Amino acid sequence: MKVVSVVGTRPNFVKEFFIHKELKKRGIKEILVHTGQHYDYEMSKIFFDNLDITKPDYHLSNSSSSGIQQIAHMMEYMEDVLKKEKADCTLVYGDVNSTLAAAVASAKLKIPVAHIEGGIRSINLYNPEEINRRVTDHLSVLIFACTKTDYRNLLEENFPKSRIILSGDIMKDVLLYTVDREKIKVERGKYSIVTIHREENVESRERLTGIISGLIKSKEKVIFPVHPRTRKRLKEFGLIDMILKSSALEITEPQSYLRFVELLAGANKVITDSGGVRREGYILGKPVIVLINITWFPEILKAGWKFVADADTDKIADAINNFEPDKKRPNIFGNGDAYKIIVENLISRFGEKK
Ligand code: UD1
């Protein structure tokens, strides 16, 4: 059996780490393709070094371009790779542009697609990730859902049960493994951590200003590893000076996975617009303050661990100072064995022919 795995962005690299290990253990040939969607050292290579993922077999060089140009470029590249490799399936992760490009190319070539992290839905039809996820799910013959809600979303869209597997969240598997292996202390420390990179926040002067103002207004110490896209806009919107003048908000370069997990584990609260970081925060027992009103993982909100501050300056400051969940923290994201369930299903579905 031969699998082509396609990665392109930071969260993909993290998830690939465990799949790679498990495929290797089971003696399955994996061809790794890096679409180059993330290309800065801190956004890409450091993850390969840090997580000990083997060098990609194919690596497309990419640079800053519009999302549509990026997808078109990656799709053409994937056509060549997939025709050459003739794999039994193409494995894609999450909701990024790379995922969509690989899924479309693969389905057009009649190579079955398997989608890790399918079924996440929001009502924001034109959110870039929503588009990628919906299309990818519909092109996939096997969809792995992280949570029961994601699984139900797919059933409600009339996906047959034979195409959906409730695997749990592979991000949880890697997070718990890393905390354990590195003996990272998980505690409510004296600082909070913020990440901001969503297009809706970063491309809007008004929203980004509202968020930065809220972080500063809280007067709590907040560490802010800045995504390159966000850094560009902070400069353009004249917000860097405001940050540098604040003694509370501390900006840093994007962090390696290991360093980021250490920072998360020691944080008091997690403030984010990321779909992944909100899960990681919850799993590590941090109150999560969300900077965008998109209903991914409604279970966290239901459990009382998420506060939606959106880009509202006062709500953000107030939540940093006062938001404290008082309820139990149910297990939402599986048992830390999603990678085994995924590989087992790939083998039973695609491994029989050979
Ligand atoms: C992408 C994903 C998002 C995911 C995030 C993780 C899409 C639509 N979005 O967002 O779902 O949560 O990755 O980080 O796929 N850039 C750099 N250096 C880099 C990478 C990007 O300067 O290493 C610049 C790009 O040139 C572009 C901007 O940042 O101008 C956006 O990059 P892109 O990869 O399209 O989206 P992200 O914001 O990273």
Side-chain angles (χ1 to χ4, degrees):
M1 180 185 167
K2 184 175 176 182
V3 177
V4 167
S5 293
V6 185
V7 293
T9 66
R10 281 193 298 197
N12 298 160
F13 309 142
V14 172
K15 290 161 200 161
E16 163 63 17
F17 167 59
F18 253 34
I19 291 293
H20 171 75
K21 262 167 74 112
E22 188 65 11
L23 287 174
K24 197 168 162 194
K25 193 171 140 201
R26 307 286 297 258
I28 295 162
K29 183 157 178 58
E30 185 193 34
I31 303 293
L32 184 61
V33 185
H34 186 334
T35 64
Q37 182 174 342
H38 283 175
Y39 45 86
D40 286 350
Y41 175 75
E42 295 83 5
M43 301 292 286
S44 174
K45 185 155 187 313
I46 195 168
F47 285 76
F48 283 78
D49 297 345
N50 217 215
L51 288 166
D52 205 16
I53 309 170
T54 47
K55 212 165 152 262
D57 299 283
Y58 296 89
H59 194 158
L60 173 63
S61 78
N62 226 317
S63 60
S64 194
S65 56
S66 81
I68 296 172
Q69 286 168 351
Q70 203 182 50
I71 291 168
H73 187 43
M74 294 190 290
M75 234 187 257
E76 275 186 317
Y77 183 74
M78 284 310 303
E79 180 178 12
D80 292 343
V81 172
L82 292 170
K83 276 183 173 164
K84 199 167 148 207
E85 291 298 337
K86 297 186 177 39
D88 297 291
C89 76
T90 304
L91 186 60
V92 296
Y93 300 86
D95 56 15
V96 300
N97 289 339
S98 295
T99 308
L100 172 73
V104 173
S106 186
K108 286 278 180 192
L109 294 170
K110 302 187 178 59
I111 299 164
V113 179
H115 185 202
I116 294 179
E117 223 182 84
I120 302 165
R121 291 290 184 270
S122 78
I123 51 163
N124 306 53
L125 193 58
Y126 294 127
N127 163 263
E129 290 78 15
E130 188 73 16
I131 299 168
N132 295 343
R133 212 182 294 114
R134 281 180 187 263
V135 175
T136 304
D137 280 343
H138 280 274
L139 295 176
S140 299
V141 299
L142 208 50
I143 308 168
F144 297 100
C146 292
T147 70
K148 287 181 187 153
T149 303
D150 304 342
Y151 185 85
R152 271 198 305 271
N153 288 339
L154 292 166
L155 287 180
E156 278 167 18
E157 288 175 24
N158 294 324
F159 280 85
K161 278 192 174 162
S162 57
R163 276 168 71 186
I164 326 170
I165 312 284
L166 178 59
S167 59
D169 187 0
I170 195 165
M171 206 169 214
K172 175 173 176 178
D173 306 358
V174 185
L175 178 65
L176 296 184
Y177 169 84
T178 305
V179 167
D180 188 51
R181 190 190 60 183
E182 303 296 327
K183 300 187 175 48
I184 296 171
K185 203 167 161 199
V186 182
E187 59 178 357
R188 296 280 302 275
K190 291 194 167 38
Y191 64 88
S192 291
I193 186 163
V194 63
T195 74
I196 313 166
H197 75 272
R198 284 257 100 71
E199 184 178 301
E200 291 89 335
N201 285 335
V202 170
E203 302 300 321
S204 157
R205 180 189 293 268
E206 197 190 336
R207 289 186 63 89
L208 196 54
T209 307
I211 292 170
I212 299 298
S213 306
L215 297 171
I216 292 174
K217 193 175 172 195
S218 80
K219 299 203 166 53
E220 299 272 329
K221 178 169 174 177
V222 179
I223 298 179
F224 179 14
V226 187
H227 186 295
R229 163 184 218 163
T230 313
R231 189 175 286 273
K232 276 185 218 158
R233 294 294 175 251
L234 288 172
K235 283 189 190 144
E236 199 182 303
F237 299 157
L239 294 168
I240 287 279
D241 282 351
M242 198 167 135
I243 296 173
L244 293 177
K245 275 188 209 138
S246 143
S247 54
L249 188 54
E250 184 181 313
I251 47 175
T252 71
E253 292 303 312
Q255 300 293 310
S256 69
Y257 180 66
L258 188 55
R259 182 66 194 127
F260 189 71
V261 171
E262 282 170 351
L263 282 172
L264 264 183
N268 181 29
K269 292 177 186 167
V270 171
I271 310 150
T272 189
D273 61 8
S274 157
V277 177
R278 72 182 71 180
R279 270 133 77 191
E280 291 171 324
Y282 176 79
I283 291 162
L284 294 179
K286 314 292 171 177
V288 178
I289 300 163
V290 174
L291 303 172
I292 192 162
N293 193 3
I294 294 190
T295 54
W296 297 319
F297 309 110
E299 300 95 326
I300 307 180
L301 189 66
K302 210 169 143 211
W305 281 77
K306 181 166 92 182
F307 179 82
V308 182
D310 205 13
D312 185 309
T313 301
D314 291 334
K315 281 190 187 168
I316 294 168
D318 187 51
I320 295 172
N321 292 323
N322 300 313
F323 175 52
E324 276 304 329
D326 56 2
K327 301 196 185 83
K328 282 200 186 124
R329 202 158 40 93
N331 177 11
I332 299 171
F333 298 102
N335 300 319
D337 59 356
Y339 67 102
K340 282 192 195 153
I341 297 173
I342 291 167
V343 171
E344 197 56 56
N345 278 282
L346 291 176
I347 294 170
S348 62
R349 189 67 64 99
F350 305 114
E352 280 153 15
K353 288 177 284 167
K354 302 218 166 145

